[in-house]
Amino acid sequence: MKVLVYILFLCSVHGLHDDEIGKYDWKKEFVGNADHVEFESSVSVSKYLFVASRLNALACLNSRTGEIIWRKILGEAEGKFVGIKHTKEGLLTVTSSGVARLWETNSGSLKWEAVVGATPNITITSFMMIERNYNVGNLLVATSDNGVHTMAMLSNNPRGETLTLDVATDKKISIDTTMGNIIVLEAEPTKLSATIVDGGNVESYREVVVADGWGGGVAQLIILETNQLVYLDDGSLYLVDLTLGATKATLRLDEVGINEVEKLIPINDDEVSTRGGWFVLQHEGGNVVFMEVGDAGIKITWRKTFPNLFDVQFKRLSSETFLFVTTNNGSELKTIAIDAKTGLIDETSMIRFNLNNDDGKVDKIFINMFLKRSTPLGFRLLLQCEDGSLTLVVNPNREVWRRQESLAEVVGVVMIDLPLSGAGLEFEGGGAERNVVADMFVKRIKAQSQQLLSWVQQTLKEIEAGTLFKHKTRDPLIQVEGLTRDPFSLHKMIVVVTRSGVVFGIDSLTGDIVWRHFIVGLDRSLTWKYDFYVQRTTAHFPHPPLVALLALASNQPAQPVLVTFNPITGDFNEHSATKPIKQTMILPTPDVDHLRHLLFLHQDDSLTLFPPTHGGSMTSLKLFFYDVIDGWVVGYAVNSDITIKQTWKFKIPSTHHVISMLGKNMLEKVDSVGRPLADRSVIFKYLNPNLVAMVAGSVDDAVDRANLLLIVFDGVTGKVVYTNTHKKASGPVHIVHSENWIIYSYWNTKARRTELTSIELYEGKSQHNKTTFSSFHLQANPMVMQQSYIFPTGISCMGVSHTDKAITARQILFGLKRGALFGLPRRFFDPRRPLVLEESHREEGLIQYMPEIPIPPELFVSYNLSVEMINGIYSSPAALESTSLVFVTGIDIFFTRIQPSKMFDVLKEDFDHMFISLVLIGMFVAALVARRMSQIKQLKKSWR
Amino acid sequence: MHPTTNTPKRSRNKWSLDVNLKKGESRLELPAPPGYAREQPSIGSDDAVASDDGGTNLIDKKSWEIAVGPIKGLPMNIFIMYMAGNTISIFPIMMVGMMFFRPTQALMGIRTTMRMLENSSQYIFQTFLYFLGNCLALALAVYKCNSMGLLPTHASDWLAFAAPIQQLEYVAGGFAL
């Protein structure tokens, strides 16, 4: 009970005041790369635009501004979105796991959800909808890998039926609304058969073999109105009556000048009854042929040639049918609308859009057609580019808005201090060339007088403008405008790299994008891993800050891409490709230009430096890596002539594979080498900077046999310091490793809950060596303390706070699966927490052991905000010892600052400076007056 | 013309005294100030003269009292310190402060005390005793500080001054990239 009260008391100070919300934190929401886009189906230009992304997010955007109106995120187990469809009732979505949902369009609230197809473990591949009257509800038709599923979408009771068909992998489904039929076409290697299913009771009532001995796929056929089907075989088009299976007409394509057919495009994607007798054939050389099917067979209505043809789409609105043809010559995208029946081009509504080399190629085009009063039609384009941006373009060439959706998939972050202001720079620059003391003194005086002068000028200007006492930024602690460092270094440049290979510079004060760079040299078909290396910080004026970004293709022997850039201005330099890289290291000691070099270990075990020359010795550098394929962990030492030799290796048992591995930050600061105990003796921490924690999971993942193996080893000598096995446990594993402690989370398969284990390593009551640490020193294995806890909610990511001098207590940060950032003081994970709390423990600040970790709502760093799908927590120290800056990535990006031990070095914002100074001045004046009065009184007294 | 004359003033204030000389007046000898007795009174002259030995005894006695004072106070101080407890709060700290302050003050002013004791026969011994008593009181204060944990006598008290450990090797690694 006491402990509970204690904890409550402890936690209550961490909360946030109402007026502090949004003062120093910000959050940006994203959707991710769009897989499916649906415009609100209305005749006139509509406000809503629906996007389903590859990150399983469904969002409604305002099509005029690009802002998110609402957004819903589905869990990973749901599978991907198969499609979205805007209906009169709302937005209909189906996921590949077979869950159909209907969302309210205005608010995004869920109207109903139901499972399509009662059989488990199916994968839905496509769906469409047959409109029916209100009493029976619209019919949802979905195909899966084992059949066709239908569901009557009655708003109060959606219910479904399943028809299992023989599994054919190549399958196409169309619906005939007027007849209420579902037409399933299956292409087998030797034949094409059609099954016509009655939508009402899901019974197949006719099966027809359409073409025997046909080897094409379903992409090479089109169903038209009144059960007609056109398929392509051996350079000829065949027209077939579906109900009979008889060929009605053929057209040899080479007779009409068509040699190689690229695509057959139906007027409407899934509905047969609105297609009429028309379709479009796209063939080589950018030719588009509009074809009509009639009694006289297949005939060509019109044909046009478009050089650099990129995309052809049909759009239908009421009685109008238009063909949208997009051409792309690399620098300009041009979309024109052609009246389908007449083949007339409407020149007024053409859209031309200049493409930036900086956006990558255009991936997808989504067209929204609407009717206008003045002209016959209008349309808008939504472009999904390779860099993840989503752009809405309107006639004639205006970009309405652009969303940088690649920020939903940030994979690397580094936070850089901003440079000092102009006057400060000069002063700092004085230190660069150390000449004579007198000279330096003069320089310093000059610089400081200049600073004073500029300050006076600034203040005068502010007084003139009347802004002297006003807050210059929304953050009360940052009162320096622009991209210059504030005294507390709270304002930083956040540099992020996203999965699609775009580097952004983000202002940490506002969250605005300062610069953006698209890495050109990446092959976008591969998956890339990115690593930042801060080679030079902003502290070395006049040398510019420099960050290196290394992109490596994962699992492919592709050339790595190395770029260096100035993180403040975003000036990029691309470097020539190097040999494939196995391991990299940033050197701990900078050279004379304050630049930290990079060391690359290549696949052929050779070493190179970047930049190539470095004066210092490199014999203190060691490298190690784990080879996923053969399970060896191999360590290397660097020789003085920049070659390597293998020094040690050990094998992970073949029953296990390494899930996660984490060393300590190189050059990590540790404030205290030991820990005082209640009897005032010291227990010294085992501060081996080369320690690596590795968690391996068993290959056998059965619930009662799965286990986890923790190996803590020295990366220099390969000596295993500690091992531990968790039975009935499996990944995902998240590790935090700092100073002398390791905290990792895993899944307990038996109890079905998330657990955490905390490990602390100590040398004991005496210190082995007070001045230096070498892994080669002969030293006994450290004492290990260990405790495990139950974490009551799912963890998606773990991190730890970093402060300037590491004096402040650490805070362990958790990205929760429920969409929040949660921070707990590290003492909750102190393995010395006693079972029975005694006075001496209390003196040390230990809390009684409880297996459950509490989740008090005051400790949510993200307070009431939802920060969804957190996959990275990055922290950076400010110049204020109490404060750590935290940047969280996921589908949202969130930035805030935390004070793990409260803000002990800055006065609270509500501190009344005016009152205090008034009181002080008042007291001073009162003292003066009283002194004078007493003097007078004294004089009078002595005169009496 | 001087506005005041002796006669009318005196009736108003009988304590007022005019020492100013009037014109033409010369007074060689000033009257004695009020309350000043010209002849020395003899106080107990009989006793003092009668027993010279008794006087020395009294000085010795008084000197002893001064010399033993600090030691006499020790038990009381010990009791107070015991009652104050070892917790660090305002009153025990004030008490410990006083414990330090008083002996230190006494030792600083030991020269004046020595002068007071000068006339005693066992002057050196008494001074030593006085000094010892104060030292003991100081020791008691130090002991109290120690038992309160205010003295940096443990390893943990010097922990913050330990220099950071320099690392000799640097390592990088992880999964094979």
Side-chain angles (χ1 to χ4, degrees):
Chain A
M1 191 61 214
K2 245 183 196 174
V3 178
L4 267 178
V5 169
Y6 182 61
I7 289 168
L8 280 176
F9 174 70
L10 174 97
C11 299
S12 62
V13 296
H14 283 277
L16 190 71
H17 288 288
D18 198 22
D19 59 340
E20 283 177 318
I21 289 173
K23 262 197 180 150
Y24 46 78
D25 64 290
W26 49 260
K27 184 188 132 181
K28 306 266 168 196
E29 288 190 341
F30 297 98
V31 183
N33 266 20
D35 274 348
H36 308 278
V37 169
E38 179 94 351
F39 289 88
E40 190 181 24
S41 50
S42 70
V43 176
S44 59
V45 62
S46 61
K47 188 188 169 193
Y48 295 139
L49 161 65
F50 306 100
V51 177
S53 77
R54 69 172 178 203
L55 295 174
N56 269 10
L58 177 72
C60 174
L61 305 182
N62 184 334
S63 68
R64 295 193 180 98
T65 60
E67 282 160 7
I68 292 178
I69 296 169
W70 52 262
R71 190 187 68 181
K72 303 282 158 186
I73 290 164
L74 304 187
E76 284 165 38
E78 291 260 355
K80 299 269 171 239
F81 280 105
V82 172
I84 58 175
K85 191 168 176 63
H86 185 243
T87 66
K88 284 187 198 98
E89 285 79 32
L91 186 70
L92 178 69
T93 66
V94 177
T95 60
S96 61
S97 64
V99 184
R101 289 187 176 87
L102 191 73
W103 310 86
E104 225 290 85
T105 23
N106 294 321
S107 64
S109 54
L110 185 65
K111 282 184 164 175
W112 53 256
E113 62 180 349
V115 179
V116 181
T119 42
N121 299 326
I122 54 165
T123 310
I124 302 285
T125 51
S126 66
F127 84 97
M128 49 206 63
M129 198 180 76
I130 298 178
E131 280 184 33
R132 300 191 299 189
N133 71 30
Y134 181 78
N135 293 335
V136 286
N138 289 345
L139 190 73
L140 176 80
V141 183
T143 49
S144 73
D145 44 2
N146 73 341
V148 174
H149 315 274
T150 61
M151 193 174 70
M153 300 198 294
L154 294 163
S155 58
N156 50 357
N157 179 25
R159 55 173 184 265
E161 276 172 86
T162 301
L163 174 73
T164 308
L165 299 172
D166 290 336
V167 176
T169 46
D170 201 6
K171 188 160 47 187
K172 184 171 188 165
I173 158 172
S174 294
I175 51 171
D176 190 346
T177 301
T178 45
M179 308 290 287
N181 283 346
I182 307 160
I183 304 159
V184 183
L185 290 163
E186 287 172 88
E188 284 164 59
T190 53
K191 64 171 184 184
L192 173 70
S193 59
T195 311
I196 299 173
V197 181
D198 180 17
N201 52 11
V202 197
E203 262 174 30
S204 81
Y205 65 84
R206 197 176 299 139
E207 280 183 56
V208 183
V209 176
V210 177
D212 214 348
W214 181 64
V218 289
Q220 290 172 302
L221 58 88
I222 285 180
I223 308 174
L224 300 173
E225 215 176 54
T226 60
N227 292 333
Q228 298 182 98
L229 181 138
V230 174
Y231 70 93
L232 179 75
D233 188 15
D234 197 24
S236 297
L237 283 179
Y238 294 85
L239 178 67
V240 182
D241 190 320
L242 259 185
T243 49
L244 304 169
T247 306
K248 283 163 67 181
T250 53
L251 176 70
R252 281 200 63 77
L253 290 174
D254 48 359
E255 286 174 7
V256 290
I258 299 165
N259 295 320
E260 204 177 312
V261 178
E262 281 172 6
K263 233 192 223 171
L264 294 175
I265 304 158
I267 286 183
N268 196 320
D269 273 340
D270 38 49
E271 222 189 313
V272 175
S273 49
T274 53
R275 285 180 190 169
W278 300 287
F279 68 98
V280 158
L281 187 144
Q282 182 188 332
H283 70 95
E284 84 285 354
N287 283 297
V288 175
V289 183
F290 189 77
M291 295 191 158
E292 193 174 347
V293 173
D295 295 332
I298 311 165
K299 67 168 199 280
I300 295 171
T301 312
W302 53 262
R303 62 199 297 174
K304 285 187 193 328
T305 307
F306 300 97
N308 305 314
L309 183 68
F310 181 70
D311 180 68
V312 180
Q313 284 182 36
F314 265 115
K315 288 286 160 191
R316 251 186 99 87
L317 202 59
S318 59
S319 63
E320 307 280 336
T321 305
F322 277 86
L323 184 68
F324 292 91
V325 178
T326 307
T327 57
N328 180 358
N329 64 3
S331 63
E332 192 192 51
L333 191 86
K334 196 165 91 178
T335 303
I336 51 169
I338 306 170
D339 191 317
K341 283 160 203 165
T342 59
L344 289 175
I345 297 176
D346 183 7
E347 289 284 350
T348 52
S349 58
M350 179 164 57
I351 293 181
R352 288 162 173 273
F353 183 62
N354 284 332
L355 293 174
N356 244 329
N357 212 12
D358 224 20
D359 304 334
K361 294 194 202 94
V362 176
D363 271 346
K364 289 176 201 153
I365 297 178
F366 305 97
I367 297 169
N368 175 219
M369 175 176 156
F370 48 87
L371 295 184
K372 279 181 23 185
R373 221 166 271 156
S374 51
T375 51
L377 89 159
F379 66 98
R380 301 182 285 184
L381 298 182
L382 188 69
L383 307 179
Q384 165 80 63
C385 290
E386 216 171 35
D387 69 336
S389 66
L390 208 58
T391 315
L392 190 85
V393 185
V394 296
N395 178 24
N397 54 12
R398 192 164 66 87
E399 172 187 317
V400 185
W401 49 260
R402 174 174 297 207
R403 294 183 61 85
Q404 298 292 352
E405 287 301 337
S406 70
L407 282 172
E409 289 173 278
V410 173
V411 288
V413 172
V414 63
M415 285 191 244
I416 306 282
D417 281 339
L418 291 171
L420 288 163
S421 62
L425 278 180
E426 268 170 53
F427 168 53
E428 285 269 306
E433 343 146 10
R434 291 173 205 288
N435 299 334
V436 199
V437 177
D439 190 28
M440 297 228 333
F441 181 70
V442 170
K443 243 183 200 171
R444 175 182 276 255
I445 294 294
K446 246 186 213 167
Q448 283 180 342
S449 53
Q450 204 152 12
Q451 260 173 320
L452 184 73
L453 202 70
S454 70
W455 179 79
V456 168
Q457 282 170 346
Q458 181 68 27
T459 316
L460 284 178
K461 213 181 283 172
E462 278 168 14
I463 288 171
E464 222 167 89
T467 54
L468 186 60
F469 292 108
K470 277 193 188 129
H471 280 177
K472 287 169 192 71
T473 67
R474 76 201 167 103
D475 192 324
L477 281 183
I478 303 174
Q479 292 307 320
V480 179
E481 282 168 298
L483 284 175
T484 44
R485 195 187 304 175
D486 58 303
F488 300 142
S489 196
L490 292 167
H491 189 182
K492 303 227 177 197
M493 177 67 84
I494 306 172
V495 180
V496 305
V497 61
T498 65
R499 192 174 298 284
S500 48
V502 193
V503 188
F504 290 94
I506 298 173
D507 185 344
S508 79
L509 184 65
T510 54
D512 295 338
I513 295 167
V514 181
W515 52 262
R516 173 185 164 282
H517 180 83
F518 180 71
I519 305 170
V520 182
L522 296 180
D523 180 358
R524 310 280 151 179
S525 60
L526 306 177
T527 325
W528 293 84
K529 287 190 292 185
Y530 305 92
D531 285 297
F532 280 122
Y533 299 94
V534 181
Q535 292 194 282
R536 186 163 49 213
T537 62
T538 39
H540 306 289
F541 189 83
H543 300 293
L546 199 68
V547 175
L549 174 69
L550 181 69
L552 295 163
S554 51
N555 306 326
Q556 280 104 3
Q559 294 290 332
V561 176
L562 180 69
V563 291
T564 54
F565 59 95
N566 180 332
I568 306 301
T569 58
D571 296 332
F572 272 72
N573 283 315
E574 306 235 349
H575 294 275
S576 58
T578 51
K579 290 183 278 183
I581 291 169
K582 202 150 68 164
Q583 198 54 260
T584 52
M585 180 181 196
I586 184 157
L587 300 196
T589 44
D591 66 1
V592 282
D593 290 335
H594 309 282
L595 188 77
R596 288 173 73 189
H597 291 236
L598 287 175
L599 184 71
F600 298 132
L601 171 62
H602 299 285
Q603 294 288 1
D604 56 358
D605 282 357
S606 63
L607 284 179
T608 50
L609 273 169
F610 173 81
T613 47
H614 184 263
S617 158
M618 273 180 284
T619 46
S620 66
L621 308 180
K622 316 286 170 202
L623 289 159
F624 76 92
F625 65 84
Y626 165 70
D627 198 326
V628 184
I629 297 150
D630 58 10
W632 283 99
V633 186
V634 190
Y636 294 95
V638 179
N639 296 327
S640 49
D641 58 344
I642 321 188
T643 54
I644 53 162
K645 61 168 184 277
Q646 187 183 320
T647 45
W648 57 266
K649 65 176 184 173
F650 67 82
K651 193 170 163 59
I652 303 295
S654 56
T655 53
H656 286 74
H657 62 99
V658 174
I659 301 173
S660 192
M661 180 156 42
L662 191 67
K664 290 183 202 179
N665 274 356
M666 192 190 273
L667 310 177
E668 182 186 49
K669 278 180 191 154
V670 179
D671 177 55
S672 174
V673 294
R675 199 174 146 168
L677 301 179
D679 64 353
R680 278 162 231 292
S681 62
V682 175
I683 181 162
F684 287 97
K685 297 173 183 173
Y686 180 71
L687 293 169
N688 182 349
N690 310 318
L691 212 60
V692 180
M694 179 192 255
V695 178
S698 59
V699 178
D700 186 356
D701 58 356
V703 171
D704 48 348
R705 287 193 301 276
N707 61 78
L708 284 180
L709 179 65
L710 169 79
I711 303 169
V712 182
F713 66 94
D714 188 309
V716 169
T717 58
K719 177 185 169 187
V720 173
V721 172
Y722 179 66
T723 60
N724 190 14
T725 314
H726 293 277
K727 283 178 186 163
K728 299 187 177 75
S730 71
V733 173
H734 304 283
I735 312 182
V736 179
H737 186 181
S738 181
E739 296 189 15
N740 66 328
W741 50 267
I742 301 162
I743 298 173
Y744 55 101
S745 74
Y746 49 88
W747 176 254
N748 184 328
T749 52
K750 192 187 176 206
R752 302 177 63 76
R753 64 189 180 205
T754 307
E755 293 185 354
L756 283 164
T757 294
S758 169
I759 285 176
E760 280 188 4
L761 300 149
Y762 289 102
E763 281 191 6
K765 291 285 180 81
S766 64
Q767 210 171 358
H768 177 71
N769 189 330
K770 282 189 165 58
T771 52
T772 56
F773 187 94
S774 168
S775 297
F776 295 113
H777 287 165
L778 191 62
Q779 195 178 357
N781 268 355
M783 292 160 56
V784 178
M785 287 174 211
Q786 178 180 336
Q787 228 167 42
S788 292
Y789 314 91
I790 300 165
F791 201 76
T793 178
I795 298 171
S796 62
C797 195
M798 261 169 84
V800 64
S801 66
H802 292 278
T803 55
D804 194 28
K805 304 258 187 308
I807 297 168
T808 309
R810 301 277 185 158
Q811 192 169 18
I812 312 293
L813 299 164
F814 297 93
L816 302 185
K817 285 230 169 100
R818 61 164 96 155
L821 183 67
F822 174 67
L824 265 183
R826 202 187 73 81
R827 52 204 206 120
F828 279 95
F829 306 103
D830 189 335
R832 296 182 61 244
R833 282 174 66 177
L835 282 171
V836 181
L837 195 67
E838 285 164 20
E839 189 56 46
S840 62
H841 295 130
R842 205 163 291 146
E843 207 173 305
E844 269 186 67
L846 295 174
I847 326 163
Q848 189 169 9
Y849 178 75
M850 279 188 299
E852 294 87 5
I853 294 291
I855 305 223
E858 313 86 83
L859 292 188
F860 279 90
V861 178
S862 58
Y863 49 103
N864 62 355
L865 295 176
S866 294
V867 187
E868 302 281 358
M869 295 163 79
I870 297 174
N871 55 23
I873 298 174
Y874 304 87
S875 79
S876 168
L880 274 179
E881 174 52 34
S882 66
T883 308
S884 179
L885 305 172
V886 178
F887 184 64
V888 176
T889 62
I891 194 167
D892 300 328
I893 58 176
F894 176 64
F895 177 85
T896 188
R897 57 174 183 242
I898 51 171
Q899 282 103 19
S901 308
K902 291 189 277 173
M903 203 188 229
F904 55 77
D905 44 8
V906 176
L907 289 175
K908 276 262 176 214
E909 205 203 329
D910 55 3
F911 184 81
D912 204 339
H913 292 84
M914 201 61 120
F915 180 71
I916 292 283
S917 33
L918 272 181
V919 166
L920 269 179
I921 293 166
M923 295 289 254
F924 184 70
V925 170
L928 281 184
V929 171
R931 181 157 167 251
R932 183 81 196 124
M933 277 166 72
S934 95
Q935 273 173 347
I936 291 167
K937 202 171 180 189
Q938 205 83 122
L939 194 68
K940 270 191 183 152
K941 213 178 186 180
S942 45
W943 272 113
R944 200 164 288 154
Chain B
M1 188 54 203
H2 209 278
T4 50
T5 49
N6 264 350
T7 34
K9 271 269 156 184
R10 195 161 288 243
S11 63
R12 233 188 304 159
N13 192 349
K14 58 177 178 175
W15 297 105
S16 91
L17 185 76
D18 196 355
V19 288
N20 291 336
L21 288 179
K22 287 195 175 113
K23 239 185 198 156
E25 197 179 359
S26 68
R27 222 182 280 167
L28 281 172
E29 203 178 324
L30 287 168
Y36 177 76
R38 218 168 264 267
E39 56 271 22
Q40 291 280 331
S42 62
I43 308 152
S45 55
D46 295 345
D47 293 345
V49 175
S51 57
D52 195 28
D53 281 0
T56 355
N57 274 347
L58 195 67
I59 287 169
D60 275 1
K61 207 171 143 193
K62 289 283 171 198
S63 302
W64 271 117
E65 261 169 36
I66 291 169
V68 183
I71 294 176
K72 261 188 181 166
L74 272 180
M76 190 187 69
N77 273 334
I78 289 170
F79 182 70
I80 289 172
M81 288 297 116
Y82 169 72
M83 289 306 284
N86 280 343
T87 51
I88 297 176
S89 57
I90 183 82
F91 283 103
I93 287 287
M94 273 164 65
M95 281 172 184
V96 171
M98 284 312 286
M99 274 288 285
F100 268 110
F101 184 65
R102 264 187 281 145
T104 319
Q105 209 181 24
L107 287 177
M108 300 268 267
I110 199 159
R111 214 170 271 271
T112 31
T113 322
M114 270 162 75
R115 213 164 289 139
M116 282 164 76
L117 300 176
E118 230 164 27
N119 299 328
S120 169
S121 51
Q122 288 142 319
Y123 158 66
I124 292 168
F125 185 58
Q126 281 168 347
T127 316
F128 175 70
L129 213 61
Y130 181 76
F131 178 74
L132 187 77
N134 277 317
C135 282
L136 278 175
L138 262 185
L140 180 67
V142 170
Y143 172 75
K144 181 68 189 169
C145 276
N146 184 34
S147 58
M148 281 170 85
L150 295 177
L151 294 187
T153 49
H154 295 94
S156 59
D157 300 318
W158 301 96
L159 195 61
F161 301 100
I165 296 171
Q166 207 189 340
Q167 76 185 83
L168 295 182
E169 295 99 13
Y170 299 91
V171 71
F175 290 94
L177 298 173

